[in-house]
Amino acid sequence: MNAAEQILTNARLILDDEVCLGSLKIRDGRIAGIDDTPSRHPGALDCQGDYLMPGMVELHTDNMEKYFQPRPKVAWPGRPAALAHDAQMAASGITTVFDALSIGDVDEQSMRHGALLDMVDSLQAIMTDDMARIDHRLHLRCEVCHPETLSRFEALAGSPLLGLVSLMDHAPGQRQFASLEAYRTYYQGKYRFSDEALEAFIEKQLANSVLYSSAHRRAIAEACQARGLALASHDDATIEHVAESVEYGTRVAEFPTTREAAEASHRHGLAVMMGAPNVVRGGSHSGNIAAEELVRLGVLDVLSSDYYPAALLDAVFRIAGMAEGYPLPQAVATATRTPAEAVGLTDRGRLAPGLRADLLRVRVVDDHPLVQRVWCAGRQVH
């Protein structure tokens, strides 16, 4: 075994359709071979019966924004913020992350827009300078009801990191906030509006939705099709929402809010994504469909850590342990193979010869999966 090779042995390999005790060889950042028997090579790393699975692929997390704005009105320097986020992703077992950055915000006092270019530039810098532990891509979350969303999207559409675009509409009466009462409760609690200020806020958001949402949605979808960018819907709630998403060539259905929307999306071939925190907590924090119900229906395709990176691995093993859950290889695929395929990444997400050696060693202690080691393109990063 030369210096460019590694052998991991005595590992429970989570393959496409089975789990077997064996060994895996890494050469030049790729998986060079898999055996269903332990290796006897003296230099092999003994995984002590731990699971060995593909590194996880995260399509939607706004975790990086927290590092750039750790407190309200507090901006943090770009490169250190990006590197701290990168370290947390690696420690969570995520080896490919589509960092979700918001374009357009209903909060006019938000720092998101001001930090947007800094976040993109910082991501590009840590990748270009080979400072990142893992592979970072860009996910632009486009709030279609915001007046400046289209122009801001067009300014960033040429970024070499861009790989996923989602279309959101958080206007009152739409999708996640079909209930105006729920909308009032959420935004009054979040921004501490007076009753009068809240009604003025709602009136403005409704007007913006009428003026911009449909036109922005169509223009951005057409731009994504022209550029070959993967497109995601967000918070689809009805059959009509799903039909529109299919018309626009959507590949991923992010967080459908109802059973009918999830089933219709799955039926049309969209990869149905749900939040890992939804699984860990036993339901949606906003009262929408529970991820566990979609597992029982067999229509949950992708898990995302959303706002809590460590939830992703935990959720994978939880849905594998459910009475009506997925077999472990299928559960693992929701955070590895399926998200990779949904955005056109065919070189990762599985344990198979020739693919990137993005790997995660996991030990289960008291029914809880613990990250032991992480490799990204064959390099140990945690």
Side-chain angles (χ1 to χ4, degrees):
M1 185 169 64
N2 61 45
E5 289 186 344
Q6 303 174 67
I7 295 176
L8 312 180
T9 190
N10 192 23
R12 285 185 284 174
L13 306 170
I14 304 178
L15 305 176
D16 289 351
D17 300 306
E18 63 175 335
V19 180
C20 70
L21 187 68
S23 57
L24 180 146
K25 180 183 289 187
I26 302 170
R27 181 186 303 124
D28 297 327
R30 300 267 169 178
I31 298 173
I34 294 175
D35 288 311
D36 59 3
T37 56
S39 171
R40 296 185 178 180
H41 194 286
L45 173 67
D46 185 357
C47 292
Q48 302 177 332
D50 293 341
Y51 288 109
L52 191 65
M53 60 180 275
M56 294 187 291
V57 178
E58 170 60 75
L59 297 184
H60 177 119
T61 176
D62 54 10
N63 186 68
M64 189 171 72
E65 291 183 342
K66 300 173 186 176
Y67 284 93
F68 278 76
Q69 187 182 344
R71 286 188 174 182
K73 312 306 178 187
V74 174
W76 206 255
R79 187 171 295 194
L83 288 171
H85 160 68
D86 170 68
Q88 186 180 14
M89 291 291 109
S92 299
I94 295 165
T95 52
T96 301
V97 56
F98 284 72
D99 291 306
L101 305 183
S102 294
I103 297 181
D105 198 319
V106 296
D107 177 12
E108 295 181 354
Q109 303 304 313
S110 172
M111 295 175 65
R112 275 177 162 173
H113 176 57
L116 181 60
L117 293 180
D118 189 22
M119 287 189 282
V120 173
D121 290 345
S122 298
L123 271 184
Q124 185 67 64
I126 66 171
M127 291 295 293
T128 300
D129 295 343
D130 198 27
M131 299 173 71
R133 292 169 172 82
I134 65 171
D135 189 14
H136 288 264
R137 309 293 176 99
L138 185 59
H139 170 178
L140 292 180
R141 304 173 63 210
C142 299
E143 189 67 64
V144 294
C145 62
H146 191 280
E148 298 180 27
T149 290
L150 182 57
S151 60
R152 292 176 183 177
F153 165 77
E154 290 171 341
L156 292 171
S159 170
L161 292 180
L162 184 58
L164 180 62
V165 176
S166 57
L167 302 175
M168 310 183 300
D169 191 345
H170 287 105
Q174 297 290 323
R175 301 170 189 263
Q176 182 179 355
F177 293 109
S179 165
L180 278 177
E181 195 56 40
Y183 187 92
R184 286 188 173 93
T185 300
Y186 178 84
Y187 280 99
Q188 194 160 34
K190 184 173 184 178
Y191 299 128
R192 302 184 183 280
F193 286 131
S194 67
D195 290 345
E196 183 179 352
L198 176 64
E199 293 310 312
F201 176 80
I202 289 175
E203 184 177 342
K204 181 175 182 179
Q205 302 312 315
L206 286 171
N208 282 344
S209 185
V210 171
L211 285 172
Y212 304 111
S213 290
S214 294
H216 285 178
R217 187 180 297 274
R218 180 170 294 278
I220 293 171
E222 290 175 352
C224 289
Q225 289 178 352
R227 291 175 176 271
L229 293 169
L231 187 67
S233 62
H234 192 82
D235 292 339
D236 280 355
T238 67
I239 298 297
E240 291 74 23
H241 288 160
V242 175
E244 182 181 54
S245 296
V246 171
E247 176 190 351
Y248 289 152
T250 302
R251 299 187 200 175
V252 181
E254 290 186 346
F255 316 133
T257 63
T258 64
R259 172 175 172 172
E260 66 174 354
E263 289 184 315
S265 297
H266 185 81
R267 190 164 58 246
H268 283 288
L270 279 65
V272 175
M273 175 195 294
M274 294 296 280
N278 186 311
V279 175
V280 175
R281 296 178 67 255
S284 165
H285 74 277
S286 55
N288 295 318
I289 190 76
E292 289 188 1
E293 183 174 345
L294 300 190
V295 172
R296 288 191 289 269
L297 293 168
V299 300
L300 188 150
D301 303 305
V302 174
L303 282 170
S304 162
S305 70
D306 196 5
Y307 58 87
Y308 199 85
L312 189 54
L313 183 64
D314 195 354
V316 164
F317 278 80
R318 281 177 185 258
I319 66 173
M322 289 170 52
E324 299 176 74
Y326 292 167
L328 184 57
Q330 184 182 358
V332 166
T334 65
T336 56
R337 184 180 75 239
T338 309
E341 291 174 347
V343 293
L345 295 179
T346 58
D347 64 344
R348 68 197 72 190
R350 301 168 53 229
L351 299 188
L355 299 190
R356 281 173 56 111
D358 292 347
L359 306 168
L360 177 56
R361 177 180 166 186
V362 179
R363 179 172 299 167
V364 177
V365 178
D366 295 331
D367 296 324
H368 186 78
L370 302 177
V371 175
Q372 300 297 298
R373 293 194 184 187
V374 181
W375 294 263
C376 187
R379 179 170 62 112
Q380 186 178 330
V381 294
H382 177 77

